[in-house]
Amino acid sequence: MGNLKLHLRQWHWPGLLAVLLLLLAARQWLALDELGHRWRGLPYETSASALADFAELQALRSLSAEDSDAQQQLVTELSRSPLVLSARLYDGGGRLLADNNNGDNDDARVYVRPLYEQERIAGFLQLSLAGSALSGEHQTIWQGVYRHLGWLLPLTGALGALLTCALLRLRRLH
């Protein structure tokens, strides 16, 4: 019985360290997976936001002037971007004012920007973004990250086991 307590005491700190390293590696893996979900959506939001920032002033001018030609020209210009499948401009009540629909696509991501004029909603700008324009390169990069982490996780486990063995050996020498 005394030998068993000594044996358990020897494994107490290195075993705890190994479990701690394993939990830390698992937590990092889950954080990476969550980051991946955010990573996939980020380029759409960033690109659409930049396009909407560019078009916002023109949209507000055309809405306040009630100029249907300027409104149509705005959505036509936005639709010329390779990222934009279609663009629509709505008034503050949600009525469609200008539309340049280049066809529906199941891969499209919709971005809606409310347009404010003096703290009230003057209208909305809706952009349908092409998913394939950004996701191909993005997906390739993300797969590379997962491939590298696929061998990094077992390597971290092996390093933890080696550290445990080294601590045990050091403890036996003292």
Side-chain angles (χ1 to χ4, degrees):
M1 185 73 172
N3 192 19
L4 181 62
K5 284 184 180 180
L6 180 64
H7 185 68
L8 287 175
R9 191 176 296 156
Q10 287 177 343
W11 277 96
H12 180 68
W13 287 106
L16 186 61
L17 182 62
V19 168
L20 184 65
L21 285 174
L22 182 63
L23 288 174
L24 185 60
R27 191 232 176 263
Q28 291 300 321
W29 188 264
L30 290 173
L32 177 71
D33 191 49
E34 180 183 331
L35 182 63
H37 293 295
R38 287 182 35 216
W39 169 269
R40 286 185 209 101
L42 183 64
Y44 298 103
E45 294 170 12
T46 303
S47 300
S49 179
L51 282 170
D53 288 344
F54 170 74
E56 186 170 7
L57 186 59
Q58 288 177 299
L60 285 170
R61 282 183 192 154
S62 69
L63 285 169
S64 64
E66 297 180 4
D67 185 358
S68 60
D69 291 335
Q71 294 166 355
Q72 188 61 45
Q73 182 181 1
L74 173 66
V75 294
T76 301
E77 286 176 16
L78 285 171
S79 296
R80 287 186 184 143
S81 168
L83 178 65
V84 178
L85 293 174
S86 67
R88 292 184 175 115
L89 183 64
Y90 297 90
D91 68 3
R95 184 174 49 101
L96 181 64
L97 300 174
D99 180 16
N100 191 1
N101 191 354
N102 294 334
D104 290 332
N105 189 340
D106 293 336
D107 194 30
R109 301 221 178 182
V110 176
Y111 177 84
V112 177
R113 165 75 67 91
L115 304 169
Y116 292 97
E117 188 172 46
Q118 297 177 357
E119 307 251 348
R120 69 171 185 84
I121 293 182
F124 300 93
L125 185 62
Q126 176 185 334
L127 302 174
S128 294
L129 306 175
S132 60
L134 293 172
S135 64
E137 184 65 26
H138 217 72
Q139 194 66 17
T140 303
I141 293 169
W142 191 248
Q143 285 172 350
V145 168
Y146 266 116
R147 184 177 56 248
H148 289 295
L149 286 174
W151 62 265
L152 188 62
L153 192 61
L155 180 63
T156 305
L159 285 172
L162 286 174
L163 179 64
T164 302
C165 290
L167 287 173
L168 282 174
R169 189 173 287 233
L170 183 66
R171 203 169 204 190
R172 287 183 194 153
L173 291 176
H174 291 289

